[in-house]
Amino acid sequence: MSKRLIACLLLALALSPTTTYAELNLVKFIGIAQSFQQRIGGSSWLVRVERVISGPQPCAQEIRVVTWTSAAPPIEWGYTDSEIKPNDRVYVYGRYVTDPFEESGCFVTLEWTGFQSPSLYFIRLPIEVVSAEIALSPAAPTTADEITLTVRATFSKEFSNECFAAAQLSNVKRQGNRFVVTAWEIWPEIVCILIYRPTRTGQRTYSLGRLAPGTYTVELQDFSRVAQSVTFTVTQAGPLSVERALDEDNNNRIDDPEIIRAINLWIRQQPVPETGGQVINDATIIRLLNLWIRSEPIR
């Protein structure tokens, strides 16, 4: 191995933050970008902290935000906004690390793995929610309903198309009886078609499935606040008809797997779940067979 290569490797190690002894915490803060530092084996932004939204108070007012090092996979790196310039206000979300070898005694890193965090860390220019709508379907759900949630947000920044705007809304996260969508995370799995059609509005629809009776809250969170919230109540559904109870995929028809299940319940004379104990008799199985054969909608 050449001396030049050895020197490069040693420099990369020196620039890579070690975490074997570090105390790790998640931190969100608003700050002012000071300067970008790029060297062999790593890059970082120096940021002056203005306000901590969550997590520990940094050990210094100016803190280094590590955006990349030459560390090998499975390490991945969060998002760094390429439009940031010195003196810009920025949002930072990453892992806070105390480090005795760091000049300030601490730093923030965008380094992550799937084992450490389900979120994508970032340093980015502010994207705020100007207005938002949260819609529930059905509007008055019961325990028998498959509930969907649609979140529509208008942002302070324009995106090149609807796909990129929608990507600013995270996957929905359930916390007990609260469902949370954050408007400052990038949706990692999204694949966008590059059609230039500028918009400030992003929209996503989520499936909440069937929920137990109770009161629930949906929150759309901005980086530092709750931008919009709605509360809804799920009531206990009454006994379903045999047809509705058998329609497990909710397509309003009796399909092949559902008629097979109906025949098995009819032969065994077992009650159909969610019908209040109803049993399929001969007249009912004939009616179900007719619905299945003709593919007629359930009335």
Side-chain angles (χ1 to χ4, degrees):
M1 183 179 294
S2 70
K3 291 182 179 180
R4 184 176 179 182
L5 181 57
I6 292 172
C8 288
L9 289 173
L10 289 173
L11 180 58
L13 288 172
L15 288 169
S16 301
T18 177
T19 58
T20 55
Y21 48 78
E23 179 183 354
L24 305 181
N25 292 289
L26 297 183
V27 65
K28 285 197 300 180
F29 68 88
I30 298 172
I32 302 297
Q34 301 296 292
S35 60
F36 184 66
Q37 301 168 349
Q38 188 165 20
R39 304 171 186 172
I40 297 175
S43 60
S44 63
W45 269 102
L46 184 66
V47 180
R48 185 174 76 247
V49 179
E50 281 196 333
R51 180 160 66 100
V52 175
I53 305 302
S54 65
Q57 182 68 39
C59 68
Q61 186 178 7
E62 290 191 350
I63 189 168
R64 191 165 64 102
V65 179
V66 179
T67 58
W68 176 80
T69 69
S70 57
I75 290 174
E76 299 184 47
W77 292 93
Y79 171 72
T80 300
D81 195 330
S82 61
E83 296 182 5
I84 298 173
K85 303 182 299 298
N87 297 319
D88 280 342
R89 177 167 278 103
V90 292
Y91 289 167
V92 177
Y93 175 48
R95 289 195 296 112
Y96 175 75
V97 183
T98 56
D99 184 350
F101 295 101
E102 182 78 11
E103 182 178 351
S104 64
C106 59
F107 63 89
V108 173
T109 178
L110 305 189
E111 172 193 309
W112 71 293
T113 72
F115 299 105
Q116 292 172 332
S117 172
S119 300
L120 186 63
Y121 304 145
F122 57 78
I123 176 171
R124 67 188 302 176
L125 296 174
I127 297 177
E128 298 175 341
V129 175
V130 177
S131 62
E133 300 172 15
I134 298 175
L136 204 70
S137 180
T142 71
T143 54
D145 294 318
E146 293 286 337
I147 303 170
T148 59
L149 171 71
T150 299
V151 177
R152 182 179 175 87
T154 300
F155 299 102
S156 59
K157 178 181 177 180
E158 187 175 83
F159 301 92
S160 59
N161 59 41
E162 293 90 340
C163 181
F164 283 122
Q168 308 308 309
L169 298 171
S170 74
N171 293 330
V172 66
K173 303 176 183 68
R174 183 170 181 177
Q175 301 170 1
N177 278 21
R178 191 163 60 109
F179 295 92
V180 177
V181 175
T182 50
W184 43 268
E185 289 182 2
I186 293 178
W187 179 22
E189 299 87 1
I190 198 165
V191 176
C192 290
I193 299 173
L194 299 178
I195 299 174
Y196 188 75
R197 189 162 46 195
T199 181
R200 293 178 182 270
T201 301
Q203 178 175 305
R204 285 190 66 188
T205 297
Y206 308 89
S207 175
L208 304 185
R210 295 183 182 181
L211 299 176
T215 300
Y216 299 84
T217 300
V218 178
E219 289 183 358
L220 172 63
Q221 294 186 355
D222 207 333
F223 187 77
S224 59
R225 64 190 176 98
V226 176
Q228 184 68 276
S229 68
V230 298
T231 299
F232 66 96
T233 301
V234 177
T235 58
Q236 180 65 53
L240 299 177
S241 68
V242 170
E243 291 86 348
R244 293 290 179 193
L246 289 169
D247 183 25
E248 293 183 324
D249 59 5
N250 294 309
N251 69 349
N252 208 37
R253 282 175 169 74
I254 301 298
D255 299 319
D256 293 355
E258 294 160 351
I259 194 62
I260 291 171
R261 180 173 177 237
I263 291 170
N264 285 331
L265 291 170
W266 169 62
I267 292 171
R268 293 179 172 84
Q269 284 298 283
Q270 294 176 344
V272 181
E274 299 184 72
T275 63
Q278 294 184 64
V279 175
I280 300 175
N281 56 29
D282 294 349
T284 302
I285 195 66
I286 291 172
R287 185 170 72 250
L288 293 170
L289 286 166
N290 281 327
L291 287 172
W292 170 63
I293 292 168
R294 297 171 183 170
S295 193
E296 291 181 351
I298 297 170
R299 294 184 178 84

